[in-house]
Amino acid sequence: MSIIDKELTGTLRDHISSQRETIRTQLTELVAFPSVHGTEETKQACIDAAQAVTDMYAELGIELEAHHTIDGSIALSGFIPGSSESAKTVLLYSHYDVQPAGDESAWTADPWTLDERDGRWYGRGTADCKGNVVMHLAALRALRDDALAGHVDMPNIKLIVEGSEERGSAGLNNLIATQPELFDADVILIADVGNAEVGQPTLVTTLRGTADVEVRVDALEQPVHSGMFGGAAPDALAALIRMLDSLRDENGFTSIDGLDCSQRWEGLDYSPETFRADAGVLNGVGLISNEDTSVSDLTWARPSVIVTGIDCPPATNAVNAISSTAMAHINFRIPGGVDPAEAQDALENHLRAHAPWGVKVTVERDELANPFRANVEGKVVQLVADSLSAAYGKETASMGEGASIPLCATLLDAVPGADIALYGVEEPQARIHSADESVDPNEIRDIAIGEAVFLASVNGV
């Protein structure tokens, strides 16, 4: 039997729906800050974004504390006492830092100015993750309204707004280690993912970890003339291409010596048609899947290797010379059940074993991020799903996520007794990390309604 109050749900829906202009104004303000952590050019923007978030919470009478972390970012924390001493404690997480805009000429409009087109709001961070920052504010604004204050059995609420998630969360990880009391909670709600599609409430139950490497190949003391030496001289770029190609089998599936890459996904199916549309696959281009191996298997359940960059002579104004050296960065995603360190070992060993002609191979390892798998059996997580269903009027689905949020695994270790749920305002059309990132404002509204319903109900579990 559901403990969700339908009348209260209706009241929260009306209140949050009426906040549309407030939500847009706040998101417009946050998007205007190019808060990319880790560069001198955007350092002040990060400081200003943190202050803007602090001011927005202050308008609700909620004080946030600024923590200057070891990686140079600013993490914000806050606390709202619950209705009773026996109240549960819920931690709400989001982050205000963003990815760089990249080539701004690829954007339809200025990435740092919120722009509305065809019912969506465009701009860097609209979905990842400033849209989730304003979503939390909308939910809390409704619950703290005078009409509801004192009439809802509220939990204790802890707030964390991070400033370096897009650069690995080193500062927050240190804060978890040094001030664990800020994170101690019965429930942790991480708003940094999203729905399977617009209008379909979704809980993300698995995340892949990462074990990236940078591989360099050296073959000659310096580049040499392709006419005089071509055909016999070892070509560093050709060697690197062979090594990278060996990471996939004849179907294009990831294949690394000594590493299991045959896992299966059990759960919501990611149909090929939907995937093609979401990924923008060109007409006539096939997917890397077949009758025996689904898109869901490849995207959510298996390791994947993606070459995200190559350093080599450019094609523009190319010189007729054999490359003496070449380098590539490999983004290596690791599913739950696979140890990232062992996977990284396997990747390095594979690259070295498949290097031709005795070329010199150097492998630099990036920091590891553990995969995450949520416990979806508990009553609390079921209440999250029921609350989202009440907000959307549709049953909540569950799916995997091919991306990584290292913080999830860190919190799972630091607060082992907590129930952790992942959801948020993103969905495939949001194009996070790409040009023309956007958010559907109705997703902000409905996720906020679901979160508010959960907060108003969780003490009854």
Side-chain angles (χ1 to χ4, degrees), residues 1-234:
M1 181 176 178
S2 175
I3 64 171
I4 294 175
D5 186 318
K6 292 184 179 179
E7 183 177 351
L8 176 59
T9 299
T11 300
L12 291 169
R13 177 178 286 108
D14 291 344
H15 193 295
I16 292 171
S17 297
S18 72
Q19 295 184 39
R20 184 183 178 96
E21 285 309 309
T22 300
I23 292 170
R24 175 174 175 149
T25 297
Q26 290 186 327
L27 188 55
T28 298
E29 181 180 354
L30 292 180
V31 167
F33 300 112
S35 47
V36 178
H37 171 67
T39 72
E40 192 61 33
E41 294 81 3
T42 55
K43 183 176 182 179
Q44 188 59 49
C46 292
I47 294 171
D48 294 341
Q51 186 59 54
V53 173
T54 301
D55 293 343
M56 290 173 188
Y57 272 96
E59 291 174 3
L60 294 179
I62 301 168
E63 182 179 352
L64 297 185
E65 180 181 358
H67 304 269
H68 295 267
T69 59
I70 61 168
D71 62 358
S73 67
I74 301 173
L76 305 171
S77 70
F79 179 75
I80 308 169
S83 301
S84 66
E85 292 184 2
S86 61
K88 287 184 170 60
T89 298
V90 179
L91 172 65
L92 303 181
Y93 168 89
S94 57
H95 65 87
Y96 65 83
D97 68 303
V98 295
Q99 283 282 332
D103 180 6
E104 296 193 11
S105 68
W107 290 71
T108 302
D110 175 24
W112 310 113
T113 302
L114 190 141
D115 180 50
E116 182 168 0
R117 301 193 301 275
D118 300 321
R120 296 182 69 91
W121 294 341
Y122 288 79
R124 176 59 87 225
T126 49
D128 182 21
C129 180
K130 292 172 179 178
N132 285 305
V133 173
V134 299
M135 179 276 294
H136 284 321
L137 284 160
L140 294 173
R141 190 177 296 111
L143 290 167
R144 293 172 72 83
D145 185 82
D146 291 341
L148 289 176
H151 300 287
V152 177
D153 184 15
M154 290 293 294
N156 301 307
I157 297 174
K158 291 183 177 181
L159 302 161
I160 294 291
V161 191
E162 188 183 359
S164 60
E165 191 277 339
E166 300 290 1
R167 291 295 181 271
S169 298
L172 200 69
N173 290 340
N174 180 258
L175 198 62
I176 293 171
T178 57
Q179 294 186 248
E181 68 279 2
L182 297 176
F183 302 86
D184 189 26
D186 301 299
V187 186
I188 300 175
L189 302 181
I190 297 179
D192 192 17
V193 287
N195 291 335
E197 59 182 333
V198 173
Q200 173 58 64
T202 307
L203 285 179
V204 172
T205 58
T206 64
L207 295 166
R208 291 191 289 195
T210 58
D212 292 11
V213 303
E214 193 167 81
V215 56
R216 173 177 172 142
V217 174
D218 289 286
L220 302 165
E221 292 181 355
Q222 69 279 316
V224 295
H225 193 282
S226 61
M228 296 177 64
F229 300 101

